[in-house]
Amino acid sequence: LRARFGSFSPNFKPVLVYPMPHDLLATPARMLGPSDAPATTPGSILAVRDVDAPPSSTRAALEALRALQRKITRLEGERGSALSEATALRLQFETASAAAARSSELSARRLEDLERSFQLREGKLIRDKEDLARRHDAAERARAELDREAKGLRERNEQLRMRLAHATAKLEAAEA
């Protein structure tokens, strides 16, 4: 009994007896109702009686034991409810954790895709910049070549103008 219900007071002397007399058990059981009716098998805690105690004391002890049994039943019910609630909360937590993990994984994939996209864009922009730099250098070389050619044409134009002026002067001198 101590293993099942803990320690009792030092004055209590449990003794197992055969089924309780009908008059001690019947009245309180009827008052408790069918769901609270105590078990009355010979090994039941309610079949324990203090032999030295007067009948009113035994009745009070039985009532106290019945109250303890109801309390134990209620506490076991509360424990079951608490376990059910804990299981439901654990399931909810695991579901939320799994959803958060999936969301985190999806976000990580999106970030990787975005980084790859930016790397591709950056690579394209770098290639475009290098192409524009080559085209700019080629245009600068072509412009420098055209500047040299224009300078040569100006010099040739100046030479031809001087020759024309010289030939015109000679023609006028010959006509005069």
Side-chain angles (χ1 to χ4, degrees):
L1 289 175
R2 282 196 171 111
R4 184 167 176 187
F5 297 103
S7 64
F8 293 101
S9 73
N11 296 335
F12 185 73
K13 298 174 193 155
V15 176
L16 291 178
V17 293
Y18 294 101
M20 296 293 292
H22 185 66
D23 64 334
L24 289 177
L25 207 54
T27 305
R30 271 186 264 132
M31 290 191 309
L32 294 175
S35 65
D36 296 331
T40 59
T41 59
S44 168
I45 186 68
L46 297 176
V48 174
R49 183 169 75 126
D50 188 353
V51 177
D52 297 334
S56 64
S57 188
T58 303
R59 198 171 287 185
L62 283 174
E63 288 302 320
L65 288 173
R66 285 185 187 118
L68 281 173
Q69 190 172 29
R70 285 191 303 272
K71 187 172 185 177
I72 288 169
T73 304
R74 181 182 53 85
L75 290 174
E76 284 176 350
E78 288 176 3
R79 178 180 176 266
S81 296
L83 287 174
S84 297
E85 186 177 342
T87 302
L89 287 173
R90 185 179 302 118
L91 178 64
Q92 184 181 4
F93 172 75
E94 289 171 356
T95 303
S97 294
R102 283 190 303 272
S103 175
S104 176
E105 185 178 321
L106 183 61
S107 295
R109 285 183 188 162
R110 286 181 182 164
L111 181 62
E112 288 173 2
D113 290 346
L114 191 60
E115 286 175 353
R116 258 188 255 117
S117 173
F118 283 143
Q119 287 173 350
L120 291 173
R121 287 180 188 171
E122 182 182 28
K124 185 179 182 310
L125 288 173
I126 288 172
R127 286 189 301 276
D128 288 349
K129 178 186 170 195
E130 290 170 351
D131 183 50
L132 287 174
R134 280 191 297 272
R135 289 169 56 190
H136 179 264
D137 290 344
E140 284 294 319
R141 285 192 300 271
R143 187 175 69 83
E145 183 64 33
L146 287 174
D147 282 347
R148 281 192 299 272
E149 196 176 310
K151 184 179 177 185
L153 288 174
R154 278 190 219 108
E155 289 174 357
R156 177 83 175 138
N157 185 24
E158 189 60 36
Q159 287 173 355
L160 289 174
R161 197 169 18 121
M162 287 177 142
R163 279 178 75 193
L164 179 64
H166 185 29
T168 307
K170 252 188 187 182
L171 184 60
E172 283 179 1
E175 280 182 4

